[in-house]
Amino acid sequence: MALVGLAYGAGLLLNHSDVPKGTTVLGVDISGSRDEAVSKLQTAFGTRAAAPIQLTVGGKPVELKPDKAGLTLDSQTTVRNAAGSDYNPVTVIGSLLGNERVADAVMPVDEEKLTVALQELAGTAGSVTEGTITFDTGKAVAVPGKAGTTLDVDGSVDLVTKAFRDQVGTGKAAVLQLPTVTKEPSINQAELDRAMKEFAEPAMSANATVKAGTKSIAFGKLSLPKILSMQAVDGRLTEKFDLEALKATYGNTFDGVMITRGTGAKTAVTPQDVAGALGKALRGKTPAERTVVIDTNPS
């Protein structure tokens, strides 16, 4: 007993570092000061933890960056959990004898961030074709969508989490095939019909004129296809203006026209001002309705 007590006392005396002697994480010895332990973890696993995870969705190769997906190796917390004295006699004497003391690597997952990242992948790697409306040669054309496969987001969360942890722990970068599900386009025929009737067909029916001060410009079948498109938002098609193309179209038409803003400041006409007025004019059914004046002195 005296020898055991002597050994125990010697172990406590010798094992006074922040991270006890013989402590390992994923097979790497991190014993020493806390700063040393963090540095050892970063050296051993930092590159692995930052490397993109190689995936396939429906046969298409894609990459997922761990930091964007809320997947991290928390070296600080790992070391903090591993640090401190362990007064268990078996552990203390074992440390004196050079025995290994295994600590867990802390790899937290921000599931909300991971879900968002996977949803973005689903939007780029899936085979679903959304219904839309194109504008060409002076008319609106409805383009029906087609069903296809898309990433099973819920079924992929745990798989990607495991792949990341395996990549950090082993350094292996095997390509992970993610599950897919069949999905219908969010823009169905009924929505296409509505958008055609309420916006697209009226938009291309005649010229639409925007005025500001004494200046004006008409937009028609030649200019509109360059600046006008439709985008899906929550299952509905809404118009979208290419502001750069819009500015290129009206050029210096509104130079010198100033708008009094809500702050009282007077500033020049912007593409956003023109787009707002044009959106109203394109819905007009009569010549008067298809001319919209930008209010330069709103009350």
Side-chain angles (χ1 to χ4, degrees):
M1 288 295 295
L3 289 175
V4 172
L6 184 62
Y8 178 66
L12 288 177
L13 180 64
L14 294 174
N15 196 12
H16 62 276
S17 58
D18 289 339
V19 180
K21 182 180 178 182
T23 302
T24 65
V25 172
L26 298 174
V28 174
D29 190 315
I30 64 165
S31 55
S33 71
R34 294 195 182 198
D35 288 344
E36 289 172 338
V38 170
S39 179
K40 289 176 182 178
L41 283 175
Q42 287 301 314
T43 298
F45 306 112
T47 300
R48 296 181 187 179
I53 304 168
Q54 303 300 316
L55 310 167
T56 62
V57 180
K60 297 179 182 179
V62 292
E63 289 185 343
L64 186 65
K65 293 183 178 180
D67 59 344
K68 182 179 179 181
L71 300 165
T72 57
L73 168 63
D74 189 339
S75 298
Q76 296 288 347
T77 301
T78 298
V79 170
R80 185 166 59 250
N81 291 349
S85 298
D86 185 342
Y87 296 103
N88 185 314
V90 174
T91 305
V92 171
I93 295 174
S95 177
L96 182 64
L97 297 175
N99 290 354
E100 184 180 11
R101 174 176 177 261
V102 179
D104 293 328
V106 177
M107 289 185 267
V109 179
D110 184 333
E111 289 203 6
E112 182 177 355
K113 198 171 181 180
L114 176 55
T115 298
V116 170
L118 289 173
Q119 287 172 340
E120 290 180 0
L121 278 186
T124 59
S127 62
V128 180
T129 302
E130 281 296 350
T132 190
I133 295 172
T134 62
F135 301 92
D136 191 20
T137 61
K139 62 181 180 180
V141 179
V143 182
K146 294 180 181 179
T149 59
T150 190
L151 174 65
D152 180 357
V153 173
D154 292 339
S156 298
V157 170
D158 290 343
L159 292 175
V160 172
T161 299
K162 183 179 184 302
F164 170 72
R165 291 174 175 169
D166 287 347
Q167 177 172 290
V168 174
T170 67
K172 296 178 181 178
V175 177
L176 173 65
Q177 182 175 337
L178 295 181
T180 58
V181 292
T182 300
K183 182 182 179 182
E184 295 292 328
S186 62
I187 303 301
N188 56 26
Q189 189 61 48
E191 174 57 18
L192 273 178
D193 293 342
R194 182 205 64 78
M196 283 288 287
K197 181 179 179 181
E198 294 183 8
F199 178 77
E201 289 176 343
M204 303 302 290
S205 63
N207 284 356
T209 301
V210 174
K211 290 185 176 181
T214 60
K215 312 290 185 65
S216 68
I217 184 172
F219 298 88
K221 62 181 181 180
L222 295 180
S223 58
L224 286 174
K226 300 176 183 178
I227 62 179
L228 184 60
S229 62
M230 303 292 284
Q231 63 179 348
V233 179
D234 296 329
R236 286 176 65 88
L237 281 175
T238 62
E239 68 270 23
K240 180 180 179 181
F241 296 98
D242 183 327
L243 296 181
E244 289 187 5
L246 179 61
K247 179 65 174 70
T249 299
Y250 71 77
N252 60 0
T253 299
F254 301 112
D255 285 1
V257 179
M258 305 298 286
I259 298 177
T260 303
R261 306 295 177 178
T263 60
K266 291 187 176 182
T267 63
V269 174
T270 68
Q272 289 85 351
D273 297 323
V274 178
L278 181 57
K280 296 177 183 177
L282 291 174
R283 288 176 166 80
K285 296 179 180 179
T286 65
E289 290 175 345
R290 294 187 72 81
T291 297
V292 173
V293 178
I294 297 175
D295 190 353
T296 57
N297 290 289
S299 55

